[in-house]
Structure formats: structure tokens, C-alpha cells
Amino acid sequence: MGKVRIYELSKQTGIPSKQLLEEFSRLGVELKSHASSVDEESLALFMQLSGKKDKAKPEPSVTPAVNIDEAPLKAAAQEPAVAVLPATASIKLAETITVKELAEKVGQKSSVVIKKLMEMGHLVSINQLLSVKVAIALAKEFGVNAQAVSLEEEIPTEEAEDESQAIPRPPVVTIMGHVDHGKTLLLDAIRQTNVAEGESGGITQHIGAYKVKLDHGEVVFLDTPGHEAFTAMRARGAQVTDVVVLVVAADDGVMPQTIEAINHARAAQVPIVVTVNKIDKPEANPDKVRQELTKYELVPEDWGGQTIFADVSAKQKLGLDNLLELLLLEAEMLELKANPNKLARGTIIEARLDKGRGAVATVLVQSGTLHIGDAFVCGLCSGRVRALFDDRGNKIKAALPSTPVEVLGLSRVPLAGDVFVTVSNERRAHQIAETRQQKEREQTLAGTSRITLEDLHKQIKDGETKDLKVIIKADVQGSIEAVTDALEKLSTPEVKITSIHGSVGGITESDVMLASASNAIIIGFNVRPEPKTSQLAEREKVDINLYTVIYRLVADVRAAMEGLLEPVYKEISVGMIEVRQVFNVSKIGKIAGCYVTEGKVARGDSCRLIRDSVVIHEGNIASLRRFKDDVKEVAAGYECGITLEKFQDLKQGDTIEVYTQKEIARQLKKND
């Protein structure tokens, strides 16, 4: 029996075409008009459920009487044959299951299952999701015992590696230590690249994951930020590492973040290799560092202990070969192995939102092999791997264990530290992510309560506890966590700091409206507001504070809370410039062909280069020209040529913001 049009079926059954369209719509088959065609499976299902005789085939001249009860059986016999699984005594059902999947599990055809559901009062289609209660009740109707299991149980768990398939993997080494003790410079010397110059204020703002090829093998390095506010980021680095390299400056000694790094490494139960850096300085005293570290049970091998020490100079590149040999020796003692022949599992090191590529995550693959096209779930998001990039930006097809890669194809920006797991198919990954999101929403709603008059009176009676609400916007997820943690630590009995929202990306108009409705301030870390957003903030009188280095942010908030009303400098935007074309000129470098959209620009003014709402560079205007003439300033509505001091990475579409700083008296508002 082939396809049949609705008007032909109407003639055969005597049912009006309009009624037939409604009947098929109830079965989940959407048809547009009386000329639409119905496939064999849908027609057989309709015939079975309606009890109508199939008249699509030629009939003999004498039609025998047919019992109405035999019609469903006859129609079912005409249903296309499908591979039917045998019914089992006991089955396991996930939190969400479709009618088709349930039919396969109970060993019945989809049409039979749909008919049974209709008898139970549920009008469903073949691809519709069923609740656990309905699925268990339906399985009992077919004599099958069903047991509900969570979707989380279907995710592969961490298990002991199969020794027969395990192969040696590179060690993951985390570089930790106090701020400005030379961690990034040390890694920079090992990689023979220049990463430190790109960091704001000379400190590492995000976790960097790099794979370094050495003469005797490969080593994966994680460079964690050294400032105390990035405690959470550094803790994540220690949780995924095999060996911790503790960097201590020979001229500075043990500092608070050094002690903190030791505690994180011990909590993760990983060995520590101490690197005494800056030994080339005249005031360097490596023996003093060794003496101070003995208080924390880090005794050098030369002194009868078990801790490996290495003296290096990252700037002069002294002692690096000895350090690498010690790291490889430590890795050999650990006998690190992983099975590449299974579904990949790893950890999100960092995640951000890229304007051109969408959500991008840095993943450290810890077991299995990650391929392009693999379906995955991590935290509240899911997706399929669209592209893989190594730490050098090269496109690769697969990532073996202990390989840091950038992954494209996420549905949203995950949280740094989330577990990244590949699953059998994308639909299952989407179901798991949706289930987690639903649980997250339920927990959020359960934890949200409206304030009552009794609670308000109690707060006033207890001393009028004030709440400073903040909205945090940053360029990456790890910075949001670090800023939130740093601000919450500043809370006092008199003033409590609460983060009501935090997300990745530039400051938008919706952020300003949320701050206005919540009486909150906005803190931007390495991001900028759009021009329309700034204008809206002025109208709504919302305070926007922008920072690129975290300790300045913390210092400003602490000073305001303590009432240190010293004069401060406020930024005043002077002009906005749009880069329309970039020219390469020999002996000069790159010149930006610009158009002044707002205000004016003068030679020598302070400026910042903004790309996709993220600050790329801060400096001064080096030269300013109109046509071939040097000019002092250019007003709005005119074109000009601009070069920036010590910066050449100009691109078409960039925005240059020109600003000045005005000294004003700081005031602590009563509402703050």
C-alpha cells in the first residue's frame, strides 16, 4: 500500500476531509490540505485506531462481512514490519524517554504503544517525550517491570584504567606561586614564546594551558594566576594536575600566596617541585628560601628531606634544563597512564564568549580521545564538537589524554571547572543538559523568597544591615568567579556585598536596567560598555566601574567601605574613533585609517583599543594626521590617520576610545 491523498481516503472511508485532517493532527501527523499525502505507517496507525477498513487496495466484487473487532488486527497486519526487541522481565527507564524508545524497550510496535496510551487518556505522537510515571505505568500494561534511573547515571564515570589498553601520557604540571615571582616568565622561557607582555599589569589574568615538546617527551603546563583573589582558579589548576611547580623568588622569599599554593597542592595530594627563581639578582638568597620553606615541611633533598629543589633564572634562562629533567623524572616515578580507546573525559580549564565563534572552552582531556563530531555534556550545556584547536591555534582532528584543546560547538558558556564528558549521541547530551538546567531552575526558585514586613522590622531592630548589590561582567568565566569571591570576602557586619548577576561579555543595556531595578552597581573587568549602554546608564544614574587589574578593583571597594575619602581620578570620555582601514607602511608600521564618530581626538591623548567589547590595549596616541599633514587634534565627522605607541595589532572594525582623567573628591553614599 503506497501513499494515499486525504481526499482519496475521504472517498474510501466516507469521512470528511476536514475531519480526517483533525484526526491525523491528533496522531501527531501534520497535514496542510486535502491534497496532502499520508505515508503507509501513519495510514496503518489511523486504520487501526479508528477501526476503519483499509480500502486502498482493490477489492473483490463481493465484499464479505467483516467483524469490526477484526479490522484493527487486519490493519496492524498491514503495518510495515519493524525490528522489534523481545520483551524483557525488567528494564531501566531514563528520566525522559520517547514513545518510540519505550516501544523498543517493551518489545512492541509504536502503533500498539500509542493505542495503549490513548486508552490510558494520553494523546501522544511517536516522538513525544513521556514522563517517568507514565512510562512505568505503560510498561506494566505490557507485563514488564520498569525501574527509573537518572540520566546522570548514564554518564560514564571515572573508573580505573584498563592496564591492557592504557598507554603512557604526558604529565600535567601546574606552575603556582606568589604574584610577580616570575611564573609566566618561567613558562615563557620554556616555551620560547612571549606570553607575559600580553597580560594586564604584568600578572596572569586567566589560566593558560600549554603543551611543550621536550627532547625526552612532552609536558603539559598550566599557568595559574598568582594573586590571592584568584584562589578558585588556582584550586582548579591543582585539581587537574600531576605535579605542582612552586615558584618562589630568591629575593622575596615565602609570601601569603606561596603558603596558599602549598595548601592547594597538598589538598590535591600531588607532589611539589620547588623552583627558586630570580637567582641572577644581586640580593638573591636561595638558602633563605629553603630555610623558610622548612616551616611548611618542604625540606630539600640536600638537607635530608624529600622535596626536589631547582635554582633557575627565567630572565637569563639559567637552570631550565635541570628543572625539565627533574619534572620528567618525577613523572616517570608516578607512572602516568591513560586509556585512549574510550569516550573522552576532561575538565573545563577556561571558557569565554567569542563574537565570531560563539562559546569557546579550553578543555584538558584527561582520559579517552576527543574527536571532531563527538557529542558531549559539561555542566548545564551540551553540544557537538565542531572544531578543535591546540594551544598554538592549529586545527586538529583528535585530542589524546593530557592534551589541552580549544573546543567549539557549545550551546552556552560553561563554568570553569565543570567536568567535560562525551556521550553516545547529541540528543542524549541535550536531554542531560536540559534535566540539569531544570534542576538548577528549581533550586533557584526554591532559594528565592520575598521579604516580609516581619523580616524588614527584624533587620532594622538588629542594626539596619545594609546590602551593596553588584553586577559583574568580565571577559571570561574564571574572572567572574574570582571577582565575586574577592568582593564577598570584603563583607562586614555593617555592609554586605552581594553579587546578583555575573556573565561573560560586554556591558549591555539589560545589565543597566537590572542594576537600576535592583539599586546595584556594575563592575566591568576587561570589558567595556557600548555607547548606547553608557548613555542609558547616565539617564538611569547607574554607576559603572571598569577595571583591568583585580587588586585595584578590590582596593577601591575596600577603601570606599572603610571611608577613605581621598581624592580619586575619574575617567571622562573625550572621543570615540572607528578604525575603517589599516595600512602597512615600511619603517613606520601599521597606520589606522579612522573616522571620529564622537567628540575629538588630540595627539598624545590617553586611549584604549576595544575589540568586540573587550579591551585589547591601553596607551597613548603616538601620531595624528589628516592627509599628509600632522595635526594636533581632529573633531567629530572627520577622517584621520592614527598610530598608537608600542602597539601594532590594529584591525578593521576596532574602536578607539579617547579619555582623560579628572581629579574629584570621593564620597561614600549612605545607600552604599
Side-chain angles (χ1 to χ4, degrees), residues 588-608:
I588 297 178
K590 290 186 177 181
I591 298 177
C594 304
Y595 178 79
V596 183
T597 57
E598 295 178 19
K600 63 180 181 178
V601 55
R603 185 171 62 244
D605 279 353
S606 300
C607 67
R608 59 172 59 90

Side-chain angles (χ1 to χ4, degrees), residues 1 7 13 29 32 124 137 170 199 257 288 298 355 433 510-511 517 562 572 605 616 635:
M1 181 175 64
Y7 69 85
T13 59
V29 181
K32 294 183 178 179
V124 296
E199 299 288 356
Q257 286 75 39
K288 179 184 176 183
L298 294 177
K355 187 176 182 180
S510 60
D511 297 325
E562 292 176 352
I572 299 176
D605 279 353
I616 303 298

Side-chain angles (χ1 to χ4, degrees), residues 202-487:
I203 67 171
T204 310
Q205 299 291 334
H206 317 131
I207 289 183
Y210 316 102
K211 195 169 188 177
V212 179
K213 292 184 179 180
L214 306 174
D215 295 336
H216 305 292
E218 294 180 334
V219 179
V220 177
F221 286 96
L222 298 183
D223 178 25
T224 61
H227 190 267
E228 63 177 350
F230 287 84
T231 301
M233 294 177 68
R234 184 160 55 250
R236 286 198 304 274
Q239 288 167 359
V240 298
T241 191
D242 300 314
V243 180
V244 166
V245 172
L246 181 65
V247 179
V248 186
D251 61 336
D252 205 4
V254 177
M255 301 297 287
Q257 286 75 39
T258 308
I259 303 170
E260 182 185 305
I262 295 172
N263 295 333
H264 284 306
R266 285 179 174 164
Q269 297 181 351
V270 293
I272 299 175
V273 175
V274 179
T275 300
V276 183
N277 194 18
K278 302 183 181 181
I279 60 172
D280 57 313
K281 286 194 171 184
E283 61 271 20
N285 190 351
D287 290 337
K288 179 184 176 183
V289 174
R290 287 172 167 78
Q291 181 64 39
E292 291 177 349
L293 288 174
T294 55
K295 301 177 183 178
Y296 306 99
E297 300 179 2
L298 294 177
V299 183
E301 291 180 332
D302 299 341
W303 295 6
Q306 298 180 347
T307 305
I308 299 175
F309 276 70
D311 294 342
V312 301
S313 172
K315 191 174 183 179
Q316 301 295 333
K317 298 182 180 179
L318 301 175
L320 299 182
D321 293 338
N322 180 43
L323 173 62
L324 295 176
E325 289 179 4
L326 293 174
L327 290 177
L328 291 175
L329 178 63
E330 187 70 30
E332 289 179 5
M333 299 295 293
L334 296 174
E335 297 181 354
L336 303 172
K337 292 184 178 181
N339 180 12
N341 303 318
K342 65 177 186 178
L343 294 175
R345 186 182 184 91
T347 302
I348 302 292
I349 300 299
E350 195 47 83
R352 69 182 188 279
L353 187 63
D354 189 278
K355 187 176 182 180
R357 301 186 297 173
V360 181
T362 302
V363 180
L364 177 65
V365 181
Q366 294 171 288
S367 61
T369 303
L370 182 63
H371 302 86
I372 293 178
D374 285 351
F376 62 86
V377 59
C378 55
L380 301 179
C381 68
S382 62
R384 181 179 293 275
V385 179
R386 291 194 290 109
L388 293 173
F389 298 91
D390 61 12
D391 60 294
R392 304 276 179 169
N394 301 319
K395 198 170 184 178
I396 59 176
K397 294 183 178 180
L400 294 171
S402 293
T403 302
V405 288
E406 266 195 347
V407 177
L408 272 65
L410 294 96
S411 59
R412 57 193 289 182
V413 179
L415 296 176
D418 282 344
V419 177
F420 181 96
V421 183
T422 56
V423 294
S424 56
N425 56 72
E426 191 172 5
R427 185 175 58 81
R428 180 61 64 194
H430 183 65
Q431 289 178 352
I432 295 172
E434 277 193 338
T435 303
R436 291 180 176 178
Q437 292 172 17
Q438 180 63 29
K439 291 180 179 178
E440 182 78 10
R441 285 192 292 268
E442 291 174 357
Q443 292 176 0
T444 303
L445 292 174
T448 304
S449 59
R450 299 288 184 183
I451 189 168
T452 64
L453 291 177
E454 295 179 358
D455 293 333
L456 181 61
H457 177 71
K458 184 176 182 297
Q459 289 182 3
I460 297 174
K461 190 176 180 180
D462 290 343
E464 298 184 359
T465 301
K466 297 177 182 178
D467 190 9
L468 175 62
K469 299 176 182 178
V470 296
I471 294 174
I472 301 171
K473 298 300 293 286
D475 53 342
V476 294
Q477 183 65 37
S479 297
I480 295 175
E481 298 175 6
V483 172
T484 303
D485 184 57
L487 292 179

